[in-house]
Structures are given as structure tokens and as C-alpha cells.
Amino acid sequence: MKRIALALFSTLAIATSGAHAVEYNQVQAEKSQIGFGYQQMGVSMEGAFRQFSSQLRFDPAAPEASSALIEVALASIDTGSEEGDEEAARKTWFNTQDFPSARFESTAVRALGADQYEVAGKLTIKGTTRDVVVPARFTPQGETGVFEGSLTIQRGDFSIGEGAWRAFDVVANEVVIRFRIVAATQ
């Protein structure tokens, strides 16, 4: 009888612990943002993308089962000037006519401790895909959670800046992508 009661209690405990899993999967786009920073003629420049879509599944208790997919509308770039936005859309930069979006799709998530994670995935810009590892921090805030981090890429790896812009003397090769994604539980 003790064995049956113990088995029943263990089964109930396992079922109950699964019921407490929290999955953040409702991205709140209006509270989220994707930006970037770079150097132009030695001066720090900042910008952002006004439109992106994302799908997210994240359970802090099982990060290895998480997934993320983010697609950025490259024509939604905000460089701080209309002229800059138009230039960035041209063939020599993002070529938004042929490549309207950039895409990140996770392949693995690894917990590092203290709400820090590494998100491995594939980043595709202008038809070129590269493996990347994105360091991220997750901060739970009740029914919502905030994912923040940054990733440094080399624009030359994705042919961002062709022709006369291929050189890195005016616009640096290094670009830092920053993100803040807010998601709620169901």
C-alpha cells in the first residue's frame, strides 16, 4: 500500500511540476525594438528598424526547447534621415527590392546561469546565411518577459555596402545589432 501511495504521489508531483511551466510566446511588437550602431567617418551612428515580425517560444525551466524566428523588413530602416533611409535601400546596401527582409532563426538555446543565455542560429541578410551565437539576457516581469542582447556582425560578410562602399574607410565593417523583445505568456 505504501508503494502505491508513493507512486501516486510521485506521479502527481511530476504532473504538477509540468503544469507550472511558463512559456513566453506572445511577442508584444509595440514594446519591442531592433536597432543597430556603426561608425561612419569615425563618428558613432545609431539607427533602428520600424517593422519586424517574430515568433517566440521560451520556457525558462526548459530553455533547450526554446525557439525564435525574427524577420526584419529592411525597407523600414530608420537612419535618422530620409536620405540615409533611401540610400540604405539601394542595391549597393540592402537591395530591398530583391531582398526585402533579414531573418534570424534559432537552432539551439543554452542557459549560462543568472538569466544569461546563448542563442545559436542562422542569420540571413541579402541571400547570405551565416551561423551566429547571440548572447541574451532574459528578465521575467510577471506575465511578461524581456529579452535583451546584442550581436556584432561584419557587414562585408553579407555584402552590405558594395562597389565604392565595399571599403571600410568611410563606413566601418563592424555593425552592432541590439534588440529588446518583450513577450507575454498565454
Side-chain angles (χ1 to χ4, degrees):
M1 188 64 153
K2 283 184 180 181
R3 284 186 189 169
I4 293 173
L6 184 58
L8 183 59
F9 179 78
S10 296
T11 303
L12 182 59
I14 291 170
T16 304
S17 67
H20 285 73
V22 175
E23 184 175 272
Y24 295 86
N25 55 22
Q26 301 298 313
V27 175
Q28 298 176 341
E30 71 283 358
K31 295 180 181 177
S32 301
Q33 52 196 259
I34 296 177
F36 58 91
Y38 62 100
Q39 294 276 320
Q40 183 171 327
M41 296 174 49
V43 177
S44 293
M45 307 293 284
E46 298 287 326
F49 292 96
R50 294 182 299 267
Q51 296 176 353
F52 61 92
S53 62
S54 55
Q55 298 172 9
L56 178 70
R57 284 184 41 246
F58 179 74
D59 177 356
E64 66 283 349
S66 300
S67 64
L69 173 63
I70 300 171
E71 290 197 8
V72 177
L74 294 174
S76 75
I77 193 167
D78 181 356
T79 62
S81 79
E82 191 174 315
E83 181 183 335
D85 298 349
E86 290 172 5
E87 179 67 28
R90 292 188 181 152
K91 189 173 186 171
T92 53
W93 291 99
F94 284 126
N95 189 5
T96 59
Q97 183 174 333
D98 293 338
F99 303 101
S101 63
R103 175 184 173 106
F104 172 80
E105 185 168 7
S106 67
T107 55
V109 177
R110 185 168 73 109
L112 301 177
D115 295 329
Q116 301 287 329
Y117 298 87
E118 282 186 345
V119 182
K122 306 247 180 226
L123 177 63
T124 303
I125 304 172
K126 286 185 75 174
T128 300
T129 301
R130 301 271 188 219
D131 291 321
V132 296
V133 176
V134 182
R137 178 179 185 81
F138 172 71
T139 306
Q141 298 177 344
E143 295 289 313
T144 63
V146 178
F147 300 87
E148 294 178 290
S150 65
L151 167 69
T152 300
I153 65 167
Q154 306 301 310
R155 69 177 178 88
D157 290 348
F158 297 94
S159 299
I160 301 169
E162 298 181 52
W165 296 108
R166 176 171 264 141
F168 306 122
D169 54 343
V170 175
V171 178
N173 191 28
E174 190 171 275
V175 177
V176 179
I177 301 169
R178 295 178 193 88
F179 62 90
R180 183 179 195 274
I181 306 292
V182 179
T185 61
Q186 261 180 257

